[in-house]
Amino acid sequence: RGEKNSVEGLRIVSGDELHALESALSPEAVAALYAPTSAIICPFGMTIALAENAAANGCEFRFDTEVQRIRRQDGGFLLETSRGPLESRTVICAAGVHGDTFHNQLCETKLTIVPRRGEYCLLDRRDGSLAQHTIFQLPSAMGKGVLVTPTVHGNLLVGPTAEDQEDKGCTATTSAGLRRVAET
């Protein structure tokens, strides 16, 4: 898939080279797909930078304004919100697990998003040097599996679990989920 998407530098590493890249890997690890052009970012810093860029380019933010309904109209869209109507030529849906609600108000083909919760564990900085790269398991039917990744702040992030659920608003961390992360 990476080659199809023109990701540069992909290759399979194994043996001594694999363990030189990641010395804390299990001796049972025999090979890995190495993607040297991948990167780790700070999601908070990136989001702030994107918002600053949008503001500098004339974006108008409407905080605490719930979109209740959306429909097409000549030349764009009408959004009925908790603070009155808004008109726009373009709408970018960033509603996450609620994206199907807005999609289904505009499109003939209906979608249903099944929310999947993933739980992570953020390790202390003292363990931050255990991994130099993002390390994925082989994917499973539930997704990419639990990964280990360094953060820009020197910690390690381990996760996520993958659990389908019905409640789109449930973002709770559970002791069972953290146990699954630790065991995996």
Side-chain angles (χ1 to χ4, degrees):
R1 185 180 295 162
E3 288 173 347
K4 183 178 178 183
N5 292 330
S6 302
V7 177
E8 295 179 16
L10 293 177
R11 61 190 177 89
I12 301 294
V13 294
S14 60
D16 292 341
E17 183 181 15
L18 172 63
H19 293 281
L21 283 169
E22 288 295 343
S23 60
L25 278 180
S26 165
E28 294 178 28
V30 295
L33 173 64
Y34 179 50
T37 57
S38 67
I40 296 164
I41 62 159
C42 173
F44 311 108
M46 183 185 83
T47 302
I48 291 167
L50 290 170
E52 288 173 342
N53 184 271
N57 283 286
C59 178
E60 195 174 312
F61 296 95
R62 304 286 175 113
F63 299 108
D64 300 317
T65 305
E66 179 185 356
V67 175
Q68 298 162 329
R69 182 169 162 73
I70 183 171
R71 58 188 159 97
R72 293 180 197 278
Q73 67 177 22
D74 290 338
F77 300 89
L78 176 67
L79 288 79
E80 296 171 17
T81 79
S82 58
R83 294 187 174 204
L86 294 173
E87 293 183 351
S88 179
R89 289 180 313 198
T90 305
V91 171
I92 298 170
C93 181
V97 294
H98 298 281
D100 55 351
T101 301
F102 299 111
H103 170 90
N104 294 343
Q105 290 177 12
L106 294 171
C107 300
E108 212 172 282
T109 304
K110 302 304 180 197
L111 296 178
T112 300
I113 293 177
V114 176
R116 180 174 290 167
R117 177 177 59 194
E119 297 183 55
Y120 290 85
C121 186
L122 182 65
L123 301 182
D124 193 272
R125 286 185 181 153
R126 68 179 176 189
D127 299 318
S129 62
L130 288 174
Q132 308 308 307
H133 306 86
T134 300
I135 302 167
F136 290 88
Q137 298 177 293
L138 289 174
S140 73
M142 291 300 282
K144 64 187 175 204
V146 171
L147 62 90
V148 176
T149 189
T151 71
V152 297
H153 302 291
N155 303 74
L156 283 182
L157 187 63
V158 182
T161 58
E163 178 185 355
D164 288 346
Q165 56 187 24
E166 298 208 11
D167 181 0
K168 290 184 176 185
C170 182
T171 58
T173 300
T174 65
S175 58
L178 293 177
R179 231 181 353 267
R180 280 194 302 276
V181 169
E183 290 167 358
T184 305

